[in-house]
Amino acid sequence: MTEVPAFDYVRYSAGIGDEWMMLRGPREGLRVLILAPLLNEANQCRAMTVDLARHLARAGVGSAIPDLPGTGESVHPLANVRWSDWRHAAAAAAKALSRDGSPLAIASLRGGALLDDACTARSWWRFAETSGASLLRPLERAQRLTSAPAAPDGPDAPATLAGFSLHVDMIEAIRAAVPAPVAGLLRTVAFEGDGVPIWRRAEPTNDPALAKRLAEDLLAWIAA
């Protein structure tokens, strides 16, 4: 079995502060910036996203998964983050990954496709792209099943959606967001499979077979 380089972590300037970016695979040649799913889907798909990076590394392609402000190991409270901060961070991560002149591809999973048009790259690849309104619906439905109010207590207080504290401006920006055209080559891959998609399952899990299929499709696209 091909040896897979260990994960490494670097800091990148995300605009409102430095955030972590997880690297995997070679540090030279074509690289892939992986924009993970957003909000609750990020938790559901975390293992699969990491598996995708592992498959790319095994094929000799380096990749990076950035923490957006308010997510992962970020020190910024999500309630203080705005949609423009996420878009700026995605663009900054792409710039940091290609700073040495290496060609860059963007791989966006689900809601990551709402941010990837902010990036400069050679090509884009999207899996099961979705709208921001679609991301919010299950959170709003879950919130209605609780006794906790979703509405903020004041103009600057965050609203609560299924455990996520989000500024009302952030919620409305997500609701309005749709995948946008990009300035380059784009491939869009739909979910095709039996059963419940990984991002809709009751608990976080993994789908190694899906991660492998996605990696194969992505590798074929960026090599074309």
Side-chain angles (χ1 to χ4, degrees), residues 73-215:
E73 301 300 319
S74 175
V75 299
H76 296 94
L78 181 58
N80 295 342
V81 175
R82 303 296 187 270
W83 183 246
S84 59
D85 296 325
W86 275 3
R87 289 183 58 81
H88 184 95
K95 184 176 180 180
L97 200 59
S98 60
R99 184 171 292 130
D100 62 358
S102 296
L104 180 69
I106 310 294
S108 305
L109 309 178
R110 296 288 291 161
L114 302 173
L115 305 171
D116 62 5
D117 62 296
C119 303
T120 300
R122 188 183 77 172
S123 61
W124 284 255
W125 178 94
R126 292 172 175 171
F127 170 63
E129 64 181 17
T130 188
S131 68
S134 178
L135 292 178
L136 289 178
R137 276 195 291 272
L139 300 183
E140 292 170 328
R141 186 162 53 247
Q143 185 63 35
R144 287 195 293 270
L145 297 177
T146 74
S147 59
D153 294 329
D156 294 320
T160 300
L161 283 180
F164 292 94
S165 293
L166 299 166
H167 193 279
V168 289
D169 291 347
M170 179 67 145
I171 294 174
E172 292 312 309
I174 294 174
R175 194 186 312 282
V178 293
V182 295
L185 299 172
L186 170 65
R187 173 169 170 73
T188 300
V189 179
F191 173 75
E192 296 179 356
D194 298 326
V196 179
I198 187 171
W199 55 88
R200 291 180 183 160
R201 296 176 186 172
E203 298 292 337
T205 183
N206 196 5
D207 192 332
L210 178 59
K212 185 175 184 293
R213 293 199 304 271
L214 294 181

Side-chain angles (χ1 to χ4, degrees), residues 17-33:
D18 289 350
E19 301 292 355
W20 288 106
M21 182 158 56
M22 184 171 65
L23 304 179
R24 190 81 188 241
R27 303 296 188 263
E28 64 283 333
L30 175 66
R31 299 171 188 170
V32 177
L33 178 70

Side-chain angles (χ1 to χ4, degrees), residues 55-73:
H55 284 297
L56 295 179
R58 192 167 283 136
V61 175
S63 64
I65 306 172
D67 282 347
L68 300 176
T71 74
E73 301 300 319

